[in-house]
Amino acid sequence: MSVTSFLEIAVPAPVAETIALVLVLLGAILCLSAAVGLLHFRDVPSRLHAGTKPQVLGLVLICLAVAVAQRTIGGMLLGLVIVIPVILLQFATAPLSAHMVGRQAYRNGTIQAHSLVVDEYAESKQTPPAAG
């Protein structure tokens, strides 16, 4: 079997469509749960958790659905090559943005100090942000 014939192997359309639909549905449910969590939780750390983890996993599932919907092995591989940068950018930016929002909330005093188990930024309250 040559490489070109391997890449042209087609997954039956009903199977590929069913897998893609299930992945899109699961991704949409996770993104919806992230939105509900943002509205439901009352403090910033809880909202950050709800807004980052399920949303990122939901996007990954939807990107995988895009790749699976191509039906041939070659198309799926090409789809993965296209969606992998999207997934990597999401993995890189979601924690950074959550960290920045959380740190700013801490500096603003919107995080309840009694809810923290360990306060690693206690010393940073003593010095202004520009001082390090």
Side-chain angles (χ1 to χ4, degrees):
M1 177 183 292
S2 67
V3 174
T4 56
S5 64
F6 174 73
L7 295 177
E8 294 173 356
I9 294 175
V11 176
V15 173
E17 290 174 359
T18 302
I19 292 171
L21 287 175
V22 168
L23 288 173
V24 167
L25 182 64
L26 289 175
I29 288 171
L30 286 171
C31 290
L32 179 65
S33 69
V36 170
L38 285 176
L39 295 174
H40 177 70
F41 293 125
R42 59 185 174 141
D43 60 343
V44 175
S46 300
R47 287 182 177 172
L48 289 176
H49 181 77
T52 54
K53 290 176 179 57
Q55 185 267 334
V56 170
L57 184 57
L59 177 74
V60 168
L61 291 177
I62 292 172
C63 287
L64 290 177
V66 169
V68 169
Q70 303 305 314
R71 295 186 185 157
T72 63
I73 300 295
M76 288 180 194
L77 292 175
L78 180 62
L80 283 176
V81 168
I82 292 172
V83 298
I84 281 178
V86 174
I87 294 170
L88 290 177
L89 281 174
Q90 189 67 34
F91 280 158
T93 58
L96 288 174
S97 62
H99 175 75
M100 296 302 292
V101 169
R103 188 171 174 113
Q104 188 59 38
Y106 180 82
R107 288 184 185 267
N108 288 341
T110 54
I111 292 180
Q112 301 168 356
H114 67 277
S115 66
L116 298 175
V117 176
V118 177
D119 190 3
E120 295 178 352
Y121 292 122
E123 293 179 11
S124 69
K125 280 187 173 179
Q126 308 299 325
T127 59

